[in-house]
């Protein structure tokens, strides 16, 4: 045992809890040693030479001497391949059944003894030794998968495997879930194992809470998304390529995926970035649509302590004229940290408080942890023990309930991979709704059990239902939070069928967007943490999770007024705009940082409120197309190499470019512009892209630019929606999409499309299908940038 780890554990969670964490670590090690013996001698295997092929729907099967490869092109263009009998079946990532095969795609002989499947958007070429190439219709190679290799225990058991790939020399890697060092993933190894980093994290920490085997690769040849549908622990090692290295030949970029077990099955989607994300959500499900109030500013703190403090904070916002949409209660509002309870002394009338706040336009959101205090008489523990034949809680290989140490003390953990457990757990949210809560945020759901050494999670040998297949925590760990989110989301839908649920989660996996969003977790307070916040939101959006945001101000420590303000200004343009802090990190209300910060924070909040209709539109478009609210600068210009390397600015939808200040003391900053004309929204100055400009960034604001020709909805002075139009360049057209707020139910919203152009020296805006220009009689119109 590492004494330093024990000291750290004691320091973090208290002496008694620290000793319990040490005991848990020892018990976990013993359980894994008994149930997971060493693999012993292993035998390596490769596919070997091709021996035959069988055409089938959308592709077919290619047989090798020591393995079998199935290739299928699906309707819509997604490509699947799987080795050793892996099929394109339903999984935790996919939304329902796999898409139907494309009958136009056929398996046919290729040159040099190989085989190929030709589809409308992609050719999949299989060499006679098992390499798989993805080629554009013009024959350009997007990716080359080398023959895989398996290592199988001589004594029997599951295989671990490695898959090595090559991409073009100019390619850039993005994705893999939430990565603080991104969004561009540079040379290095990235773990696939959802992990609580232990209190706080910065750009140097990996892995974090939400990892995914989802890569988005951008090169001159095109954009593609690669997904390894395998939830086991793994590692992805990336190395960017180099053009003209050595003798003048290109050195391709490389990717190596190693998995500790599970199937080798992959999905690939190609096209423009927008088409790739559309294809990805077609596979994994449309993002859940947050209610309109969840697009406003939200406030949280670990340690509100009482109803009195909650009222004080909300009154502080109102007295200063600051908008506030929601307030979040952390674990300190529970009775003894027990989930689905309320401390009756500190919160004697929580339903009354919730109703009072709601009448003032503020919703209450509750934290929900998965750990259940193992205590007879605890209603949740007793009810869970009665679920099904064996109870709701995860057991070890010998059939005993696994116990760990979390905030309530000794705890047990529901097995969310069991449908009956999900149904039971979803029903428990009725208690939260009865207390007046309007939404939930899931925490500690990697899952976490405090440990003195090793991973702060359950034994790898712990048993799970895995939808009736059975398996252990090595396979279930990464999908645990995803299954918990499903339980909560589906429970909320059953309990309040007329309202869209609001749920976001610290952890998750591919497909997380179906049930809600996520947030950064415990990002370290400091300028590196501010930069990591942006990296996380951008990276998660490219993995199909569009609704996310950081703890504004950082989770730990005390931010300087300047750092807090710059974080606040960034947060005002991110989907989830929430301040939050640890119990000992001080307050995060804007007025706590002095009158100057308060004045500038008020301006940021006012702009967020003004842009609320635009955020509503972006949320609806994300649900329809998978396009994230926050997009990298190369989103519409993936061929622009300078934009591919730009990580300190982003597009908010198609209309706005946001350039946050990420360095101490900066009052100017360079901004890389995509092609076209861009207007500084503060000064009205016009700039032409592509190129780089130097813009003022006083403490009062961060640079925000609008695309020439853009039409976007904003909140007018009377509270209604008006159209803000930025004049197109001479001889050019522009446009935009507007989706109006149809309420927080399930009403289908109408998509309005607008075009802008110059006519007789003035800017005219027309709605497609409506005929005639838009004017004040229909929708108020404001033209800027002339």
């Amino acid at each position: 045992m590492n004494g330093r780890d024990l000291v750290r554990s004691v320091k973090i969670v208290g002496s008694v809890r620290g000793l319990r964490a040490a005991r848990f670590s020892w018990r976990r090690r013993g359980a894994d040693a008994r149930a997971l013996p060493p693999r012993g001698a292993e035998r390596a295997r490769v596919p070997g030479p091709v021996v035959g092929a069988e055409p089938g729907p959308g592709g077919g099967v290619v047989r090798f001497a020591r393995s079998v490869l199935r290739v299928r092109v699906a309707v819509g263009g997604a490509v699947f391949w799987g080795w050793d009998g892996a099929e394109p079946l339903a999984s935790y990532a996919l939304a329902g059944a796999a898409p139907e095969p494309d009958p136009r795609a056929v398996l046919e002989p290729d040159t040099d003894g190989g085989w190929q499947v030709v589809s409308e958007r992609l050719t999949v070429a299989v060499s006679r030794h098992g390499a798989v190439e993805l080629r554009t219709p013009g024959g350009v190679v997007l990716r080359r998968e080398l023959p895989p290799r398996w290592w199988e225990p001589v004594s029997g058991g599951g295989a671990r495997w490695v898959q090595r790939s090559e991409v073009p020399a100019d390619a850039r890697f993005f994705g893999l879930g939430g990565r603080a060092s991104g969004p561009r993933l540079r040379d290095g190894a990235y773990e696939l194992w959802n992990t609580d980093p232990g209190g706080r994290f910065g750009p140097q920490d990996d892995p974090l809470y939400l990892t995914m085997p989802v890569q988005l690769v951008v090169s001159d040849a095109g954009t593609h998304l690669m997904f390894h549908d395998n939830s086991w622990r793994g590692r992805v090692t990336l190395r960017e390529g180099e053009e003209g290295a050595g003798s003048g030949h290109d050195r391709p970029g490389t990717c190596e995926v190693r998995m500790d077990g599970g199937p080798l099955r992959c999905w690939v989607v190609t096209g423009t970035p927008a088409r790739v994300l559309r294809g990805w959500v077609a596979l994994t499900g449309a993002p859940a649509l947050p209610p309109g109030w969840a697009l406003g500013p939200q406030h949280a703190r670990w340690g509100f302590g009482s109803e009195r403090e909650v009222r004080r904070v909300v009154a502080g916002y109102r007295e200063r004229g600051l908008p506030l949409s929601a307030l979040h209660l952390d674990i300190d509002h529970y009775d003894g940290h027990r989930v689905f309870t309320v401390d009756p002394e500190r919160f004697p009338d929580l339903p009354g408080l919730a109703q009072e706040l709601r009448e003032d336009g503020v919703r209450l959101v509750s934290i929900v942890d998965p750990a259940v205090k193992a205590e007879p008489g605890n209603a949740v523990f007793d009810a869970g023990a009665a679920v099904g034949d064996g109870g709701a809680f995860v057991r070890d290989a010998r059939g005993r309930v696994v116990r760990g140490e979390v905030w309530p003390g000794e705890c047990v953990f529901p097995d969310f991979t069991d449908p009956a457990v999900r149904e039971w757990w979803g029903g428990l949210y009725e208690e939260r709704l009865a207390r007046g809560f309007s939404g939930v945020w899931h925490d500690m759901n990697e899952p976490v059990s405090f440990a003195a050494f090793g991973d702060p999670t359950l034994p790898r040998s712990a048993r799970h239902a895995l939808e009736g297949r059975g398996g252990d925590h090595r396979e279930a760990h990464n999908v645990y939070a995803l299954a918990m989110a499903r339980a909560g989301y589906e429970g909320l839908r059953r309990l309040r069928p007329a309202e869209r649920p609001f749920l976001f989660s610290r952890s998750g996996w591919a497909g997380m967007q179906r049930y809600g969003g996520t947030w950064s977790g415990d990002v370290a307070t400091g300028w590196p943490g501010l930069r990591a916040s942006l990296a996380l939101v951008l990276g998660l959006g490219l993995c199909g999770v569009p609704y996310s945001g950081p703890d504004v101000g950082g989770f730990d420590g005390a931010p300087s007024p300047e750092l807090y303000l710059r974080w606040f200004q960034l947060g005002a343009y991110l989907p989830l705009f929430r301040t939050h802090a640890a119990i000992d990190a001080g307050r995060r209300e804007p007025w706590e940082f002095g009158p100057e910060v308060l004045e500038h924070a008020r301006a940021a909040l006012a702009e967020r409120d003004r842009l609320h209709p635009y955020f509503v539109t972006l949320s609806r478009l994300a649900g329809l197309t998978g396009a994230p609210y926050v997009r990298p600068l190369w989103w519409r210009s993936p061929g622009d190499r300078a934009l591919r390397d730009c990580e300190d600015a982003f597009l908010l939808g198609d209309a706005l470019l946001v350039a946050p200040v990420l360095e101490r003391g900066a009052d100017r900053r360079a901004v890389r512009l995509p092609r076209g004309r861009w207007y500084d929204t503060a000064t009205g100055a016009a700039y032409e892209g592509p190129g780089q400009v130097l813009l003022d960034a006083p403490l009062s604001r961060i640079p925000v630019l609008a695309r020439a020709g853009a039409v976007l909805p904003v909140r007018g002075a009377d509270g209604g929606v008006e159209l803000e139009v930025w004049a197109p360049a001479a001889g050019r057209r522009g446009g935009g999409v507007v989706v109006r707020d149809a309420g927080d139910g399930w009403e289908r919203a109408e998509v309005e499309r607008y075009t802008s152009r110059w006519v007789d020296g003035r800017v005219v805006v027309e709605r497609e299908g409506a005929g005639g220009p838009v004017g004040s009689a229909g929708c108020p119109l404001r033209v800027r940038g002339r």
Side-chain angles (χ1 to χ4, degrees):
M1 176 181 179
N2 187 326
R4 185 181 306 163
D5 287 337
L6 176 57
V7 170
R8 181 164 56 249
S9 176
V10 171
K11 184 181 296 184
I12 292 173
V13 298
S15 58
V16 174
R17 191 165 285 155
L19 292 174
R20 288 176 178 167
R23 183 178 62 182
F24 168 76
S25 298
W26 281 113
R27 288 192 304 201
R28 180 183 58 189
R29 173 179 286 183
D32 287 344
R34 288 188 300 270
L36 302 174
R39 294 176 62 88
E42 294 182 311
R43 181 187 299 111
R45 173 168 61 91
V46 295
V50 68
V51 296
E54 303 167 10
V61 172
V62 182
R63 299 189 180 279
F64 297 86
R66 291 177 290 277
S67 190
V68 175
L69 172 68
R70 177 178 295 278
V71 179
R72 177 184 291 182
V73 177
V75 172
V79 175
F80 169 88
W81 70 80
W83 288 92
D84 282 1
E87 300 274 356
L89 302 176
S91 72
Y92 281 102
L94 271 59
E100 293 296 316
D102 185 344
R104 299 171 298 175
V106 295
L107 180 68
E108 59 189 24
D110 196 8
T111 59
D112 197 26
W115 294 82
Q116 67 176 5
V117 180
V118 180
S119 69
E120 180 181 3
R121 299 177 187 169
L122 201 65
T123 295
V124 185
V126 182
S127 79
R128 59 193 177 96
H129 290 293
V132 179
E133 274 190 0
L134 304 177
R135 303 172 186 160
T136 68
V140 179
V141 177
L142 284 174
R143 188 182 189 101
R144 185 170 190 265
E145 302 284 330
L146 303 178
R149 182 180 295 267
W150 295 266
W151 286 269
E152 299 163 325
V154 172
S155 58
R160 58 188 180 92
W161 53 263
V162 62
Q163 174 77 70
R164 296 184 176 92
S165 314
E166 294 178 349
V167 297
D170 66 288
R172 295 291 182 261
F173 296 98
F174 301 87
L176 296 182
R179 305 288 168 171
S181 59
R184 173 183 163 194
L185 303 178
R186 289 168 169 77
D187 296 0
Y190 300 87
E191 297 289 335
L192 298 172
W193 190 252
N194 293 345
T195 303
D196 178 359
R200 62 176 183 172
F201 69 87
Q204 74 284 353
D205 292 304
D206 187 272
L208 298 178
Y209 314 95
L210 202 166
T211 66
M212 297 185 203
V214 179
Q215 307 167 38
L216 192 120
V217 184
V218 185
S219 68
D220 288 353
T223 301
H224 72 271
L225 181 147
M226 166 68 76
F227 169 52
H228 289 84
D229 194 355
N230 183 322
S231 64
W232 283 64
R233 186 169 194 158
R235 173 179 291 187
V236 179
T237 303
L238 302 177
R239 185 183 181 194
E240 292 182 345
E242 186 174 351
E243 295 181 293
S247 63
H249 297 291
D250 288 351
R251 174 175 61 77
T254 60
C255 169
E256 178 185 276
V257 179
R258 288 182 177 268
M259 288 290 185
D260 290 349
L264 203 176
R265 56 184 178 185
C266 309
W267 287 93
V268 176
V269 185
T270 64
T272 64
R275 175 172 280 179
V276 165
L277 265 293
R278 184 189 292 268
W280 175 236
V281 300
L283 273 177
T284 60
L289 188 65
W293 58 264
L295 297 172
Q298 305 178 48
H299 187 82
R301 190 203 309 158
W302 179 12
F304 278 124
S306 67
E307 290 185 6
R308 179 179 179 181
E309 177 65 4
V310 168
R311 287 190 173 92
R312 186 195 71 82
V313 170
V314 173
Y317 274 87
R318 292 296 179 251
E319 291 166 1
R320 294 167 176 85
L322 306 177
L324 180 66
S325 293
L327 187 136
H328 299 216
L329 298 187
D330 211 314
I331 56 173
D332 54 288
H333 87 278
Y334 282 137
D335 184 7
H337 291 158
R338 292 190 297 270
V339 67
F340 299 118
T341 65
V342 170
D343 187 316
E345 295 184 2
R346 291 181 293 141
F347 292 88
D349 183 17
L350 192 53
L353 174 66
Q355 180 61 30
E356 173 188 326
L357 296 182
R358 189 161 182 163
E359 291 173 357
D360 202 22
V362 179
R363 310 292 184 113
L364 277 185
V365 175
S366 171
I367 192 171
V368 174
D369 289 355
V372 175
K373 185 172 179 61
E375 179 182 63
N378 174 8
V380 178
F381 176 75
D382 292 343
V387 172
D389 295 332
F393 305 119
V394 175
R395 294 178 178 270
D396 64 18
R398 296 197 286 186
R400 300 176 303 182
V401 173
V402 173
R403 296 180 178 234
E405 185 70 18
V406 197
W407 299 118
E410 189 173 54
C411 291
V412 293
F413 303 86
D415 181 7
F416 297 113
T417 69
D418 184 335
V421 175
R422 288 199 297 269
E423 184 174 2
W424 162 71
W425 185 265
L428 297 178
Y429 289 76
E430 184 175 11
E431 181 272 345
R432 295 287 89 183
L433 296 177
R435 302 279 192 182
F437 289 108
S438 299
V440 294
W441 54 296
H442 288 174
D443 200 0
M444 304 290 285
N445 57 342
E446 289 70 34
V448 171
S449 177
F450 299 139
F453 55 88
D455 286 338
T457 187
L458 308 187
R460 293 179 298 128
S461 58
R463 303 298 298 173
H464 290 265
L466 289 167
E467 313 308 315
R469 292 183 292 107
D472 61 40
H473 199 65
R474 293 174 297 176
E475 181 179 0
H477 173 84
N478 282 336
V479 297
Y480 186 89
L482 175 71
M484 180 186 179
R486 178 179 178 181
Y489 184 84
E490 292 178 348
L492 290 169
R493 285 202 64 170
R494 290 194 304 269
L495 294 166
R496 294 280 176 86
E499 297 180 12
R500 298 198 302 271
F502 177 55
L503 183 152
F504 64 101
S505 171
R506 190 170 79 172
S507 185
W509 201 61
M512 178 66 210
Q513 73 276 0
R514 297 193 298 268
Y515 312 117
T518 184
W519 96 103
S520 67
D522 303 340
V523 61
T525 297
W527 293 94
L530 171 59
R531 187 175 290 270
S533 297
L534 176 56
L536 285 160
V537 175
L538 280 166
L540 287 163
L542 295 176
C543 291
V545 184
Y547 184 85
S548 68
D551 285 347
V552 168
F555 180 71
D556 69 317
S560 68
E562 180 193 7
L563 173 60
Y564 173 82
L565 179 59
R566 292 309 195 186
W567 218 315
F568 200 88
Q569 290 167 334
L570 167 63
Y573 292 95
L574 300 180
L576 173 58
F577 179 21
R578 183 182 84 144
T579 55
H580 185 228
I583 194 167
D584 57 352
R587 292 169 172 163
R588 290 288 191 270
E589 294 83 50
W591 55 88
E592 299 290 345
F593 294 86
E596 184 180 18
V597 169
L598 174 60
E599 177 187 355
H600 301 327
R602 177 182 286 110
L605 284 167
E607 182 63 6
R608 173 65 176 235
D609 187 62
R610 193 181 76 90
L611 290 175
H612 187 270
Y614 186 49
F615 275 94
V616 169
T617 294
L618 294 179
S619 71
R620 290 282 185 172
L621 293 178
L624 292 171
T625 70
Y629 311 35
V630 170
R631 309 166 187 177
L633 293 187
W634 48 259
W635 179 256
R636 290 177 56 168
S637 306
D640 188 326
R641 296 189 179 187
L643 294 180
R644 293 206 294 257
D645 293 342
C646 183
E647 302 175 283
D648 60 357
F650 60 91
L651 299 174
L652 182 61
D654 277 338
L656 300 178
L657 188 160
V658 182
V661 174
L662 305 175
E663 298 177 355
R664 178 189 292 110
D667 59 5
R668 304 192 80 193
R669 61 151 295 174
V671 180
R672 176 71 59 178
L673 299 179
R675 183 176 300 278
R677 174 173 294 178
W678 295 86
Y679 295 100
D680 187 321
T681 58
T683 67
Y687 303 93
E688 296 293 333
Q692 184 169 278
V693 295
L694 188 64
L695 299 180
D696 289 334
L699 199 59
S700 60
R701 61 180 174 84
I702 58 176
V704 178
L705 298 102
R707 189 189 301 272
V711 180
L712 65 155
V714 297
R715 183 166 283 160
D718 62 353
V721 175
E722 70 177 28
L723 297 183
E724 182 170 275
V725 185
W726 291 87
R732 304 295 297 271
R733 289 173 175 260
V737 173
V738 176
V739 185
R740 299 178 188 270
D741 192 346
D744 292 339
W746 301 97
E747 299 84 357
R748 185 177 180 85
E750 182 181 2
V751 178
E752 305 171 9
R753 302 182 185 277
Y754 294 87
T755 60
S756 62
R757 60 193 177 99
W758 285 97
V759 177
D760 297 331
R762 66 187 184 93
V763 176
V764 173
V765 178
E766 297 173 320
R767 180 178 173 183
E768 293 184 7
V774 175
S776 58
C779 183
L781 187 69
R782 181 187 180 199
V783 179
R784 302 182 65 185
R786 290 178 292 183

